[in-house]
Amino acid sequence: METTKISKFTKPLAEDGDAATKDEKSMALPKKKMMFMDKMPSKDVDRSHHSMHEVIDPAIQKALKVRERMKVFDIIDGQSMDVTPMPIETHFETEQYKKLTEKARAIHVIPIRREIQSFKSVASSLMRTRSSRGVQFHLSMENIVNGIGSERMLASDLTISPSYSSYIDESSSSESSVEEEIGVKFHLPYIRVVLSKTDLILLYEQQSNTAIKDTEDGNFTEEDNTRYDYLTIGRGKVRRRSDAETQTPQTLYKSRKINTTKKEMSNKASYVSTFEMYDTYRRVGEEDPFAALTLQESTAISKYMSKEAQCAAIVKLPSFQWVSMVIRRLMSGNNFEKSLRRYRNMEPIQPTVAKMEYKYSLKNLFTFLPHASDKERRAVSDMSFCYANNDILAVSYGIYSYQAAKMPETGQVCIWSIKNPCDPEGYYFYNYPAVAVEFSPYMPNLLAIGLLDGYVEVRDISDLNKPPIAISQRLTSPSVEPILALKWIRQDSSSNDANEIDPFLSLSQDGTVTRFHIIRGPHLLGFTQMVLDRIEGKSEGLAVSVNNALSAEANARPHCMSLTKHPLHADIYYILTDEGCIHKCATSNQMNCLEVLKTHKASVNCMDFSPWSPKLFLTCGNDWYIRIWLEGIFKPVLTLHNMYGPYQWAGWSRTHSTIIVALNRKQCEIWDLRRSSLKPMAIHTLQSSYNTMALYSRDGNSLAIGNERGKVFVLAFDDMPFPTHYPYDTLEEVIEKAVINFPDLHNEVKSLGYFGYPKKGLKIPP
């Protein structure tokens, strides 16, 4: 630490300017530079009484002014820090000073000579100088803080009368001049304060160590533990303690980060497109998948083959197909960058925009066109988004309506990726039209495919060149009707084989539900789960008159339309039929329905649960209506109708609790029950071809719509209202307003109480 000298000690000269003695001259000329004070006043000067404050204040003020211009610095962590002590404020107007001054003024004659001698004898112990004129004190820091030369210090150290507040010159010898000597004004010396940095003094340190018992280190450790207990919890803790403080311009704290090792971080860059980042980082450190040809593949292509034959052989190689797929992704990313960013919802509209219009519009992002080399006209029969990757969409091409001018004879299933909207990244051809596809939510790489001839197969899309994992056979699934729906179900917990793949249900057009298991073999193991029969008599739900004139139907089994799973109960599923009924069934109860609900007068085509309630669902059918139901109530709480045409599909919005999207043959409608239940907020017409079905993306921000020409439109919701902060409360308010005019129905809704998920949560229906 740097040392700063605030002032110097001084040696006064002779009083009358006479030549000093040789010894005095040698003392008056020290080796160091000295600062001299003025001469002491002679006896002829008016010797009025001066207080100690008047004597010491000028010197102190002058010393403080010099001290203010000086700074003390220290090197801390390689930086120069200002550690100059803060100024010390000393108040001289103390009670002892006032009492001393009053007594000094009250005394006029002081005849006691011996008190002067006692004063001189005691004061001489405080004076360390060879001159009779100079007074030089050696004071501690505690005395300086309490007051430099103040009466409080002198009164406590000198056992004399408080009337002697000044120093009396030794040259005065007569008692008559005692009163005059009292008023002599003296100049006190300067004070030098030296600040220096001392070495670190370790008072106590208790280190943690482990030693073997009955050894030298072990005995020392036990003694150290005993001493530590004595000082902390034993009798040794009762000992003298003292606290010390110092003044610094700022308080320095020790941060926690210096106790831990700093982690070194670095960035690694790769040349990829914006939407290839996921694939790039996933393959970091793995074998390069972009190798053009492996050694075995290169040797398989004979050098004796013609150039055309070699090119045809290279195109069929898996490595070449992988490289070409990545190149197509890069090229598509340049053309569809804005659409890709919109699909990923990278730039959402902020609620703080200055102006916002709610138009409920749909913005076309991509259009998946059918295979260019295929001349058959196949309709989009089914679609399924991958549960683990929202970018992957499986589309089946086949028959949707039997009113087509020319029926296709073959089928196709394409695996599309949003990263490459121009070409499918995987495709499978079949000799019969494909009708249904469904990704597994438990193993997302598995895809179940249902065909028109009743066959079902399972493929692994992670390797597009592999054959199917398993295919159904006629021995276990004798039905030859088209497979209209597929749903994966959770594996039974009582199963002995933990590695068994989860089974799935298939719904045939003749009302047969088959349960398929994937076993160690090339075939699927199927069991008949349910066989539906037509409804006899009157069922719960919509009131429909029954014609008793028809004694028997031409077909004893109903025509099934779709299959829906319950959002909470994994063993509950619903079958939709052409009778307008919903059959509630369970995987644990075979051959029997738990409940039948009449929802439409014609075929019921779709059923969807609300993401905010496991008891609220909607249905749409060929009777031109969309109805909203609550579980336990056999009357619709709300009915929507816009035009005279059947609805093929309807679904609750995944982002807004009161918005419903419905699809019919010609247009797409967006309903907002919060604003109106009489007409849709927006109607969109895509193309002249008839629409077949629609499907929400997994995040709910986009919608995929297929038509009979095999085109799939991926649309984004635009100019939509902002979601409410409490979606369930808003939905419950809408339902209550819809039934307020029907007292009986309103009481039934009130009796249900809370019908949402726990804590008003959100769950996407399966």
Side-chain angles (χ1 to χ4, degrees):
M1 180 182 294
E2 299 180 4
T3 302
T4 303
K5 297 180 180 179
I6 297 180
S7 59
K8 306 289 184 178
F9 286 100
T10 181
K11 176 68 177 179
L13 296 178
E15 179 178 349
D16 297 329
D18 297 334
T21 62
K22 184 177 180 179
D23 295 337
E24 290 177 348
K25 288 182 179 180
S26 61
M27 295 180 63
L29 297 175
K31 295 181 180 180
K32 296 184 180 180
K33 183 180 179 180
M34 310 296 290
M35 296 180 64
F36 298 96
M37 301 170 56
D38 297 335
K39 295 180 178 181
M40 295 296 293
S42 62
K43 297 182 179 180
D44 299 334
V45 181
D46 183 14
R47 301 178 184 272
S48 60
H49 176 73
H50 296 276
S51 64
M52 190 63 90
H53 175 69
E54 295 176 353
V55 174
I56 199 173
D57 184 65
I60 293 178
Q61 295 299 327
K62 187 175 180 180
L64 291 177
K65 288 181 180 180
V66 177
R67 180 184 179 276
E68 289 177 355
R69 296 194 296 268
M70 298 182 181
K71 301 293 183 179
V72 179
F73 296 87
D74 190 10
I75 305 301
I76 301 176
D77 295 336
Q79 295 183 359
S80 180
M81 301 294 294
D82 186 3
V83 294
T84 305
M86 302 295 288
I88 301 174
E89 296 181 0
T90 304
H91 300 280
F92 296 96
E93 294 294 335
T94 60
E95 293 296 333
Q96 294 182 3
Y97 164 74
K98 294 180 180 180
K99 294 179 180 179
L100 185 64
T101 304
E102 292 177 358
K103 290 183 179 180
R105 292 177 180 177
I107 297 175
H108 299 282
V109 179
I110 307 176
I112 305 176
R113 174 74 177 184
R114 60 178 178 273
E115 292 188 4
I116 299 176
Q117 297 297 332
S118 63
F119 170 81
K120 292 169 60 178
S121 63
V122 177
S124 62
S125 64
L126 299 176
M127 302 178 186
R128 295 181 182 179
T129 180
R130 298 180 181 178
S131 175
S132 60
R133 297 289 184 179
V135 180
Q136 184 176 10
F137 292 100
H138 283 213
L139 305 178
S140 63
M141 290 300 297
E142 183 179 1
N143 295 334
I144 294 175
V145 173
N146 293 332
I148 302 176
S150 64
E151 290 84 358
R152 178 176 56 184
M153 180 183 66
L154 294 177
S156 61
D157 295 337
L158 302 179
T159 57
I160 62 175
S161 176
S163 62
Y164 297 102
S165 60
S166 302
Y167 172 74
I168 302 179
D169 192 0
E170 291 181 353
S171 60
S172 301
S173 59
S174 62
E175 297 182 358
S176 60
S177 60
V178 174
E179 183 178 357
E180 297 179 355
E181 294 294 338
I182 295 176
V184 177
K185 182 177 181 180
F186 292 94
H187 292 271
L188 293 182
Y190 289 96
I191 301 302
R192 180 177 66 181
V193 178
V194 180
L195 300 178
S196 61
K197 184 177 181 180
T198 61
D199 296 336
L200 180 63
I201 301 175
L202 182 61
L203 298 179
Y204 183 76
E205 183 180 9
Q206 181 74 16
Q207 297 181 351
S208 299
N209 52 14
T210 303
I212 303 176
K213 192 174 183 179
D214 297 334
T215 60
E216 183 179 357
D217 295 338
N219 297 333
F220 176 77
T221 303
E222 289 184 353
E223 294 177 0
D224 190 48
N225 292 338
T226 304
R227 187 185 309 109
Y228 180 77
D229 294 339
Y230 174 76
L231 295 175
T232 54
I233 61 178
R235 298 183 60 183
K237 70 177 182 178
V238 184
R239 60 187 183 277
R240 181 180 178 274
R241 297 181 178 87
S242 62
D243 298 332
E245 297 182 357
T246 183
Q247 296 177 348
T248 53
Q250 60 180 352
T251 305
L252 301 178
Y253 295 96
K254 182 179 179 182
S255 59
R256 185 176 296 178
K257 65 181 182 180
I258 67 175
N259 296 329
T260 59
T261 305
K262 183 179 180 181
K263 296 182 179 180
E264 299 293 338
M265 303 181 68
S266 60
N267 297 328
K268 295 183 179 180
S270 301
Y271 178 73
V272 292
S273 64
T274 304
F275 300 94
E276 287 288 331
M277 297 298 293
Y278 173 78
D279 298 332
T280 301
Y281 284 107
R282 186 180 60 179
R283 295 185 177 88
V284 170
E286 298 180 1
E287 185 179 357
D288 185 10
F290 301 104
L293 295 176
T294 61
L295 179 62
Q296 297 179 357
E297 292 173 345
S298 60
T299 55
I301 301 175
S302 175
K303 61 181 180 179
Y304 301 104
M305 299 173 60
S306 62
K307 295 183 179 180
E308 292 78 6
Q310 290 183 11
C311 291
I314 291 175
V315 169
K316 294 181 181 179
L317 294 177
S319 58
F320 180 83
Q321 294 178 3
W322 174 263
V323 172
S324 63
M325 180 187 68
V326 174
I327 295 299
R328 290 196 301 268
R329 284 185 178 182
L330 294 174
M331 297 176 64
S332 300
N334 297 332
N335 298 330
F336 299 96
E337 181 180 358
K338 293 184 179 180
S339 299
L340 290 171
R341 295 175 65 87
R342 180 67 181 86
Y343 180 81
R344 295 286 184 87
N345 199 26
M346 291 184 176
E347 298 176 356
I349 300 177
Q350 300 298 328
T352 57
V353 293
K355 184 178 180 181
M356 185 68 183
E357 295 183 5
Y358 299 151
K359 298 181 179 180
Y360 299 87
S361 58
L362 293 175
K363 182 181 180 181
N364 189 9
L365 302 180
F366 319 104
T367 301
F368 297 152
L369 301 177
H371 203 273
S373 61
D374 194 358
K375 297 182 180 180
E376 280 192 298
R377 179 179 172 181
R378 303 188 185 97
V380 177
S381 57
D382 198 4
M383 295 183 293
S384 177
F385 276 97
C386 181
Y387 285 84
N389 191 348
N390 192 39
D391 295 343
I392 299 177
L393 175 65
V395 182
S396 63
Y397 299 90
I399 297 176
Y400 183 82
S401 174
Y402 294 98
Q403 296 181 357
K406 185 179 180 180
M407 303 296 294
E409 297 180 357
T410 59
Q412 182 183 9
V413 174
C414 293
I415 309 298
W416 293 91
S417 176
I418 302 300
K419 299 177 182 178
N420 181 17
C422 300
D423 301 302
E425 298 190 352
Y427 41 82
Y428 309 105
F429 292 97
Y430 299 98
N431 296 327
Y432 294 93
V435 184
V437 289
E438 181 67 19
F439 274 108
S440 172
Y442 317 113
M443 297 184 66
N445 59 317
L446 297 183
L447 178 67
I449 302 173
L451 304 177
L452 187 68
D453 61 345
Y455 273 90
V456 179
E457 69 177 24
V458 178
R459 287 187 176 269
D460 186 1
I461 67 168
S462 60
D463 194 344
L464 300 175
N465 299 308
K466 286 185 178 180
I469 295 178
I471 304 176
S472 64
Q473 54 182 342
R474 293 298 180 191
L475 295 177
T476 56
S477 56
S479 176
V480 295
E481 294 292 329
I483 305 298
L484 298 183
L486 297 167
K487 289 294 180 182
W488 293 78
I489 59 177
R490 176 63 72 179
Q491 177 183 344
D492 190 4
S493 58
S494 61
S495 177
N496 296 328
D497 191 358
N499 298 324
E500 183 181 355
I501 302 176
D502 298 282
F504 61 94
L505 300 177
S506 69
L507 177 64
S508 301
Q509 186 173 340
D510 60 352
T512 303
V513 180
T514 307
R515 180 173 180 171
F516 288 101
H517 292 263
I518 301 175
I519 59 177
R520 295 184 178 90
H523 298 288
L524 291 170
L525 180 60
F527 301 95
T528 302
Q529 180 71 30
M530 176 68 66
V531 178
L532 295 182
D533 295 328
R534 289 196 175 272
I535 301 298
E536 296 182 1
K538 186 177 180 181
S539 61
E540 298 287 349
L542 199 66
V544 178
S545 59
V546 179
N547 190 0
N548 297 325
L550 297 177
S551 58
E553 296 284 348
N555 190 354
R557 296 182 180 179
H559 182 86
C560 295
M561 306 299 297
S562 182
L563 192 67
T564 304
K565 291 172 56 179
H566 195 277
L568 286 183
H569 305 290
D571 59 334
I572 300 297
Y573 62 94
Y574 299 87
I575 303 175
L576 285 59
T577 65
D578 61 343
E579 296 178 316
C581 296
I582 296 177
H583 297 257
K584 183 178 180 180
C585 307
T587 56
S588 59
N589 188 1
Q590 298 181 0
M591 310 308 294
N592 291 317
C593 293
L594 303 180
E595 184 182 320
V596 179
L597 181 65
K598 183 72 172 181
T599 58
H600 294 271
K601 296 181 181 179
S603 300
V604 51
N605 297 324
C606 183
M607 176 183 180
D608 187 38
F609 281 88
S610 172
W612 283 269
S613 173
K615 297 182 180 181
L616 185 66
F617 62 92
L618 63 81
T619 58
C620 65
N622 291 341
D623 58 351
W624 313 336
Y625 287 97
I626 301 173
R627 292 186 172 90
I628 299 176
W629 304 79
L630 272 171
E631 243 182 27
I633 300 178
F634 302 111
K635 294 180 182 179
V637 296
L638 192 60
T639 301
L640 307 178
H641 171 71
N642 182 47
M643 62 173 295
Y644 300 100
Y647 287 98
Q648 284 91 266
W649 179 88
W652 291 94
S653 173
R654 272 48 177 167
T655 57
H656 298 74
S657 60
T658 60
I659 291 181
I660 295 174
V661 179
L663 185 75
N664 52 40
R665 299 281 284 176
K666 296 183 179 181
Q667 60 193 21
C668 178
E669 302 173 356
I670 300 179
W671 297 75
D672 193 348
L673 305 181
R674 188 182 181 185
R675 301 183 65 180
S676 176
S677 60
L678 302 178
K679 62 178 182 179
M681 293 293 101
I683 299 175
H684 303 280
T685 302
L686 302 178
Q687 284 190 356
S688 59
S689 181
Y690 290 148
N691 302 321
T692 56
M693 69 164 301
L695 184 66
Y696 283 111
S697 61
R698 296 305 305 172
D699 58 1
N701 295 319
S702 303
L703 182 70
I705 300 177
N707 60 15
E708 288 190 348
R709 292 186 179 271
K711 297 181 179 181
V712 178
F713 302 95
V714 180
L715 310 169
F717 295 101
D718 205 1
D719 299 328
M720 299 290 288
F722 295 104
T724 60
H725 293 285
Y726 305 101
Y728 171 78
D729 297 335
T730 305
L731 179 62
E732 186 179 19
E733 182 181 355
V734 168
I735 297 300
E736 186 176 356
K737 288 183 179 179
V739 300
I740 195 65
N741 295 328
F742 306 94
D744 296 339
L745 184 59
H746 183 263
N747 293 334
E748 292 184 14
V749 173
K750 282 292 186 181
S751 63
L752 288 179
Y754 178 76
F755 54 86
Y757 286 101
K759 298 182 180 180
K760 300 182 180 180
L762 167 69
K763 182 177 181 180
I764 304 299

